[in-house]
Every structure is written in C-alpha cells, then in structure tokens.
Amino acid sequence: IKYLNDLPGEKQSGEKSFALRQFILKPGQDDYYPMTYLNELKKNECVLYPSGSPEFVGKLRKAFYEEDRLSMRILIDFGVDASKIMNDVLRKNLPCEPDILKIVFSSKKIDLNTKYG
C-alpha cells in the first residue's frame, strides 16, 4: 500500500486499480477476503477499472446468483458497474432477497430513470 501511495499522481490510479484487480480476480479466490487489505485499498480510493469489464461483471453476476452478499458488496463498493446485471435482477420469476436488492441498488452506476430490460 505504501508503494502505491508513493507513486506519482498520474501513475497512482492505474497501479491502484491493477493491484485491486489482481487481488479480486485471484484464481482460487472462493471465499474470505482479507478485510484489512481491502480496507486500506478503500481508504486509498482504489477502484476497479474498467468498471464494466466482463471479468468484474461476471464475478458480480456469479455472486448475485449464489447470493454471496460479501462478494457483491466488495465488488460494488470498489466500483463494478452493477447496471450491467440489472436484466438479471429484474427477471420475472426470479425471487430476490431484499438485502441483495439493497446491495445492488447501493451502486452509484445504477440510474433509476433508465429503463432496463
């Protein structure tokens, strides 16, 4: 983390995104995230870029269908574009827990005035 903070400003955002990307998309990352590491990245304003990347959206979609609240919260908090899974969220005959909906709609990428689906 200190290394990321010591980089020049124009390089910092790209390197922060890369570090976060490597951590989030690490092969075999099935369950627990080291929260202290994520907390430090969050404090340093790291975001996943590009937010609509198929890897990130795919991981968010998988977490949505598995009702993995922790992964969903982490991905959305770090900027994954939740609007890309709105068709899944709004599907008919797909029951969805209210706390899952709260997580999805906490995304800054969702525009309530947009017609999805």
Side-chain angles (χ1 to χ4, degrees):
I1 303 292
K2 182 169 176 12
Y3 163 77
L4 295 173
N5 289 331
D6 292 341
L7 290 171
E10 66 276 354
K11 245 184 125 174
Q12 211 176 73
S13 65
E15 290 295 321
K16 285 178 179 179
S17 177
F18 182 76
L20 186 57
R21 177 188 198 93
Q22 295 305 315
F23 179 72
I24 295 289
L25 296 177
K26 182 175 89 178
Q29 181 80 16
D30 291 330
D31 36 68
Y32 304 105
Y33 296 92
M35 289 302 169
T36 53
Y37 183 75
L38 288 174
N39 191 36
E40 287 300 314
L41 289 172
K42 189 73 173 166
K43 279 192 228 175
N44 285 292
E45 300 174 1
C46 293
V47 292
L48 292 165
Y49 179 82
S51 64
S53 145
E55 296 105 339
F56 301 140
V57 173
K59 195 151 178 112
L60 180 60
R61 183 171 280 121
K62 180 178 185 254
F64 171 73
Y65 281 108
E66 293 176 353
E67 296 184 355
D68 181 356
R69 291 163 181 81
L70 176 61
S71 293
M72 287 181 66
R73 171 76 59 205
I74 289 168
L75 291 165
I76 288 174
D77 282 352
F78 282 107
V80 173
D81 189 353
S83 70
K84 304 283 187 195
I85 68 162
M86 285 305 292
N87 288 335
D88 299 282
V89 172
L90 299 173
R91 283 171 98 181
K92 292 182 179 178
N93 301 323
L94 180 68
C96 192
E97 297 291 324
D99 53 336
I100 297 287
L101 292 175
K102 283 181 191 175
I103 294 169
V104 171
F105 285 107
S106 72
S107 172
K108 295 176 179 138
K109 307 283 183 183
I110 293 179
D111 181 3
L112 296 177
N113 296 317
T114 300
K115 183 177 180 177
Y116 296 101

